[in-house]
Amino acid sequence: MFIWSQLCSAGTFQGSVGRDVCDACPQGSANDAEGSGTCAPCVPGTFASDAGLTRCESCEPGTYQYVTGKASCVDCPAGTQNPLAASDDASACVACPAGTHSGVKSTECVTCPAETFSASENAAVCEECPMNSSPADGKTRCACDPGHVETASTGQSSSFTCEPCAPGWFAEAPDSKFCDLCGGDGYAAKNGTDAVSFFLFTYLRITTMGN
């Protein structure tokens, strides 16, 4: 009696004797050879999302997979980055440094937008600086603007406040810890005066007195 047989195509297998039908490699496995009796599970760092594949795909940047035989990869969490493909461990998702942020499945950390900051690692979003303050030290904190001084906290949280110097006082530089008393012929005519305003007022007063 003549028995006709045909090799299973790549992406399929047949592990039993006497069957005339080949089965597709299940998700999480693949083979690239004809006549296979088994399918190879995808190694860590790779995946096979569909049945009947001839090869496993590498995990995309921003993802990883540490388990053998999986149909998908795991997204790196927000606040981390992973620029590499075929990552096989969660440690490939590296924490974003302070002053930056990232979303889920990110390949890079992004510098905080204007007027925002992040004080610690792993930031998913950046916080807005309080009124009368601006980002400082690589957008890792906020510092009070000239003419203002900090009244609470350490500048590493949006809960702190910056109050304007009282009339007659000024703060020359950003991030000033206290206001200075105007001396000599100088005076500050309004709250929140900085050094430029202070010397401008001085010049105007002296000029006025000389006329």
Side-chain angles (χ1 to χ4, degrees):
M1 182 175 67
F2 174 76
I3 300 178
W4 178 84
S5 64
Q6 183 178 5
L7 293 176
C8 290
S9 61
T12 67
F13 74 104
Q14 183 48 257
S16 301
V17 176
R19 292 192 62 192
D20 59 0
V21 177
C22 297
D23 298 315
C25 290
Q27 290 180 315
S29 67
N31 74 50
D32 60 358
E34 293 184 340
S36 296
T38 60
C39 296
C42 296
V43 299
T46 68
F47 71 104
S49 58
D50 297 316
L53 296 181
T54 60
R55 64 185 182 89
C56 299
E57 300 288 338
S58 295
C59 291
E60 296 177 338
T63 69
Y64 69 96
Q65 182 52 263
Y66 62 93
V67 180
T68 299
K70 301 301 289 185
S72 62
C73 298
V74 182
D75 292 342
C76 288
T80 67
Q81 62 175 341
N82 175 18
L84 305 176
S87 297
D88 59 4
D89 193 85
S91 62
C93 305
V94 180
C96 290
T100 68
H101 70 111
S102 74
V104 175
K105 198 179 176 181
S106 292
T107 60
E108 62 179 351
C109 300
V110 181
T111 301
C112 289
E115 304 306 320
T116 66
F117 76 106
S118 62
S120 59
E121 295 183 340
N122 293 109
V125 295
C126 298
E127 300 180 67
E128 289 189 7
C129 284
M131 184 179 297
N132 300 320
S133 70
S134 302
D137 297 339
K139 297 191 174 182
T140 61
R141 67 185 188 93
C142 297
C144 292
D145 296 332
H148 300 77
V149 290
E150 187 177 315
T151 59
S153 186
T154 61
Q156 295 184 341
S157 168
S158 57
S159 63
F160 86 106
T161 58
C162 294
E163 296 295 333
C165 294
W169 298 76
F170 75 101
E172 178 177 1
D175 206 19
S176 294
K177 303 305 179 186
F178 54 86
C179 298
D180 292 314
L181 179 65
C182 296
D185 288 323
Y187 70 101
K190 62 178 181 178
N191 288 350
T193 301
D194 58 23
V196 174
S197 300
F198 166 63
F199 288 114
L200 176 60
F201 286 130
T202 301
Y203 170 77
L204 291 174
R205 184 177 183 187
I206 292 173
T207 302
T208 302
M209 292 174 63
N211 291 334

